[in-house]
Amino acid sequence: MEIEALVSLRSSESPAVGRDRIRLLEAVAREGSITAGAKAAGLTYKAAWDALDAMANLFGQPLLEKRTGGRAGGGATLTPTGIKVIDAYHKLEAEMARVVRSLEPHLSGTGISPLNLVSGVLMKTSARNALRGTITQIVSDAVASEVAVKVNEDTTIYAIVTQESLKALGLCVGREAVALIKAPFVIIAPGESAPPLSVRNCVAGTVRRLTPSAVTTEVVLDIGGEKSLAATITAESARSLGLEPGKPACALFDAAHVILAID
């Protein structure tokens, strides 16, 4: 398996800068203008400017020197800082790839890849549920796409994403992705089958545990394949539904409430 490290740089005040923005910076320098560089990178002019502004905010100084004229209505060249940032970024990715490859012998026979390990350790999210799976289907229209992520043998989670997000994340059938679902978005229905509702996702499972408080109760379902799904419901709802460990129940949530993340 070929291992490739993807590095993102961020600060608390600005969005992350990853390989796509470094490639934009390289494209602008290569083409000699922001307009032509944006086109080469597959971005709109506004998206390119937003990305370049984010990089300037992150590094605290300009990475491009702009001038009037040029091949595409306005020229741009890398500043000395811009050249050093690109060079340092590629060296950082190469070093990260070397470190990740060195993990392979230690994980041999575990069924865990170095990428799974790094993602699982480093990923931080406010979503209670983070389920890794493989994309099995993508159905698209002009505006959005429904992405199916198979998280275990019997469970597929559906997410609605915009076409822009689909392209930005590089989502395609066969690629691994992580489905993120906040626990308050999940509805619990007791029994092996759920009542008819206009929600795309219905995940059957068994109540593994209940954690009650004065107002809410966290319900954790065992959904098979060593995976679980948590919901936060009111304490009164948990009592009235008769939820108990070992009993069957279904987790229901809308596809629009599922966020997809990639390594």
Side-chain angles (χ1 to χ4, degrees):
M1 178 175 104
E2 181 180 350
I3 292 181
E4 183 180 31
L6 300 178
V7 178
S8 292
L9 309 174
R10 70 172 67 242
S11 73
S12 59
E13 294 82 20
S14 60
V17 170
R19 178 181 290 182
D20 55 340
R21 292 185 173 177
I22 295 296
R23 283 179 172 169
L24 169 63
L25 194 61
E26 291 174 320
V28 171
R30 183 176 64 251
E31 299 295 330
S33 80
I34 295 173
T35 302
K39 184 177 180 180
L43 297 174
T44 65
Y45 185 72
K46 181 183 182 304
W49 265 112
D50 290 343
L52 293 169
D53 285 344
M55 283 190 279
N57 289 338
L58 179 65
F59 296 108
Q61 51 188 299
L63 307 183
L64 287 173
E65 181 179 349
K66 297 178 284 292
R67 61 183 185 278
T68 57
R71 284 178 288 166
T77 58
L78 289 173
T79 65
T81 299
I83 295 172
K84 290 180 179 179
V85 164
I86 290 174
D87 183 59
Y89 182 87
H90 287 309
K91 287 180 178 178
L92 179 59
E93 280 198 330
E95 185 64 18
M96 284 292 294
R98 184 192 66 77
V99 171
V100 172
R101 284 194 297 268
S102 73
L103 297 173
E104 284 189 304
H106 301 285
L107 296 173
S108 178
T110 65
I112 300 173
S113 74
L115 295 184
N116 292 156
L117 175 66
V118 173
S119 175
V121 171
L122 298 183
M123 177 180 285
K124 294 181 179 180
T125 172
S126 63
R128 178 68 172 81
N129 300 292
L131 300 168
R132 179 179 293 276
T134 302
I135 297 174
T136 57
Q137 185 181 41
I138 299 176
V139 179
S140 301
D141 61 23
V143 178
S145 295
E146 181 186 77
V147 182
V149 181
K150 188 174 183 179
V151 299
N152 65 30
E153 194 61 34
D154 301 314
T155 304
T156 296
I157 291 176
Y158 299 90
I160 296 292
V161 302
T162 64
Q163 289 289 11
E164 185 176 347
S165 294
L166 188 78
K167 294 176 182 177
L169 294 174
L171 301 179
C172 59
V173 172
R175 179 165 192 171
E176 284 196 350
V178 178
L180 305 171
I181 313 107
K182 292 180 71 69
F185 291 160
V186 181
I187 299 170
I188 295 293
E192 296 180 355
S193 59
L197 291 173
S198 62
V199 292
R200 185 67 174 96
N201 293 288
C202 178
V203 180
T206 303
V207 177
R208 178 184 291 178
R209 66 177 181 272
L210 302 168
T211 306
S213 66
V215 178
T216 63
T217 294
E218 182 183 76
V219 183
V220 178
L221 298 186
D222 184 337
I223 62 172
E226 302 299 322
K227 294 186 177 181
S228 62
L229 200 153
T232 300
I233 63 176
T234 66
E236 179 56 36
S237 293
R239 287 190 292 268
S240 63
L241 293 174
L243 299 175
E244 294 179 9
K247 285 190 173 184
C250 295
L252 302 101
F253 48 96
D254 197 84
H257 287 160
V258 180
I259 297 173
L260 296 182
I262 59 170
D263 294 319

